[in-house]
Amino acid sequence: MRRNCKMATILLKALTFIVVFALGYALKKKGLFGPKDYNVLKKVMVNVTLPCSVLSAFGGFENNLVLYLVCLLGLGCNIILVFVGYIMSRKKDNPTKAFYMICTGDYNIGAFAMPFAQQFFGPIGVMTTAMFDMGNALMCNGGSYMLTSSMIEVENGEKVTIKDMLKKLFSSVPFCTYVLVLILGFLSIKIPTQLTDFIKPAANAHSFVSMFMVGLMLEINIEKSVIAEVMKVLSLRYVMAAIFAAIFLFVLPFEGEIRRALAVVAFAPLSIIGSTFTEKAGGSPVQASLGVSISILCSVVIMTIMVIGLGVGA
């Protein structure tokens, strides 16, 4: 009976995610929201609810070397995926290589994986996801593009320097929040309870705001001329996600909740920023955008199945 109740609770939480996601998409299709209206929620999510959810989770943070290692995992997984994308596209033209390399890597963490962590894993899951995203952010905000452009010839590509990447990172409120909590944790400075209590309503709103926003962003326009390569990249991405998840679950010597959170994060969809950098590298923005949209649909199903299979969140 207790097991059945726990499973029912998990299913209800997962169903809530899917309903909010579907609601955003349906209301856009009905014309209640325009194609660019998601930008308002994006600003709220990036500048308010995501930083608040991270600060709230780090309220009881204790200096933990494992979480610093998770940051390196986020960076390492991205680098591995860029190289895998290069290997799998080595016989293709440079624009296609750029698409493979940039879109095989880079995770959508803040708007997608973070709500799952917040809902199903609690503070330790949010901390784990935030640290993974810190390493991921280095690649999403120019690192993958820089690595790609150093390995293939990018025709008419814009040059992105380390200075440009750092400027973009430190103008990002979530990234600055990650850095702040890391510094506070390293110095063993606790975030005041009064502050975490004050921001709790905004933190609790993150899951709804993020999933509704993702629903508004979703746009499926299947073009037969590009679908084949998109499906190859997504297949490659999810095969690698399964490998990473298995390593996280069965190899890493971390505590169980951290390992489970990482396994779910491994299946996060493609980064939205990836389509911009794909275009800069000479690849097809149409392929990249389609890949992002399909990966969102795939990830919402896979990550839901993952949390149910791992038996967390009740």
Side-chain angles (χ1 to χ4, degrees), residues 19-314:
V19 168
V20 172
F21 169 74
L23 180 64
Y25 182 72
L27 291 179
K28 183 184 71 170
K29 286 299 181 183
K30 285 291 184 181
L32 188 60
F33 293 94
K36 298 296 182 182
D37 285 352
Y38 71 86
N39 281 313
V40 176
L41 285 181
K42 183 179 178 181
K43 290 177 182 178
V44 174
M45 186 272 293
V46 169
N47 296 299
V48 182
T49 63
L50 177 55
C52 285
S53 65
V54 173
L55 286 171
S56 181
F58 275 81
F61 177 73
E62 294 181 3
N63 202 5
N64 189 338
L65 177 61
V66 168
L67 291 177
Y68 296 100
L69 295 177
V70 168
C71 179
L72 295 179
L73 276 179
L75 177 62
C77 287
N78 273 271
I79 293 173
I80 290 170
L81 289 172
V82 171
F83 277 97
V84 169
Y86 175 76
I87 292 169
M88 298 305 293
S89 63
R90 63 190 182 281
K91 295 182 180 180
K92 300 181 183 293
D93 57 37
N94 283 339
T96 305
K97 285 180 182 176
F99 167 60
Y100 269 71
M101 294 173 71
I102 293 175
C103 287
T104 299
D106 297 355
Y107 297 87
N108 184 340
I109 301 293
F112 203 95
M114 186 64 78
F116 273 82
Q118 188 178 21
Q119 188 77 0
F120 293 105
F121 293 99
I124 188 67
V126 174
M127 288 188 279
T128 300
T129 305
M131 290 302 94
F132 188 92
D133 192 28
M134 191 169 184
N136 173 65
L138 292 169
M139 300 300 288
C140 285
N141 288 282
S144 293
Y145 176 83
M146 290 172 62
L147 188 56
T148 297
S149 60
S150 70
M151 295 173 67
I152 65 173
E153 184 178 344
V154 176
E155 297 180 8
N156 303 318
E158 296 182 30
K159 186 177 181 181
V160 175
T161 64
I162 293 177
K163 181 181 178 181
D164 295 331
M165 184 178 69
L166 292 175
K167 183 178 179 181
K168 189 166 186 176
L169 281 171
F170 284 97
S171 63
S172 163
V173 175
F175 187 81
C176 290
T177 305
Y178 298 158
V179 173
L180 173 63
V181 295
L182 271 183
I183 293 172
L184 292 177
F186 183 77
L187 297 175
S188 298
I189 299 174
K190 296 285 186 181
I191 297 175
T193 305
Q194 293 86 346
L195 176 60
T196 56
D197 288 344
F198 179 75
I199 64 176
K200 192 172 183 179
N204 291 340
H206 181 65
S207 295
F208 180 88
V209 171
S210 296
M211 296 310 292
F212 194 85
M213 181 200 74
V214 171
L216 290 180
M217 292 178 63
L218 185 66
E219 196 63 56
I220 302 294
N221 293 313
I222 303 295
E223 294 191 20
K224 293 182 179 178
S225 60
V226 302
I227 190 64
E229 293 294 353
V230 169
M231 296 312 294
K232 287 177 184 177
V233 166
L234 291 179
S235 297
L236 178 61
R237 169 66 173 251
Y238 286 111
V239 167
M240 291 303 299
I243 293 171
F244 286 152
I247 293 172
F248 295 156
L249 280 173
F250 305 115
V251 178
L252 293 183
F254 300 161
E255 63 182 271
E257 198 163 3
I258 292 176
R259 290 187 285 109
R260 288 190 290 271
L262 285 172
V264 173
V265 168
F267 288 96
L270 306 186
S271 168
I272 299 164
I273 307 174
S275 58
T276 301
F277 283 110
T278 298
E279 184 175 16
K280 284 184 178 182
S284 168
V286 175
Q287 284 181 323
S289 297
L290 181 58
V292 169
S293 294
I294 296 177
S295 74
I296 287 172
L297 293 175
C298 293
S299 290
V300 74
V301 174
I302 295 172
M303 292 171 73
T304 299
I305 292 172
M306 285 287 292
V307 296
I308 293 171
L310 292 170
V312 299

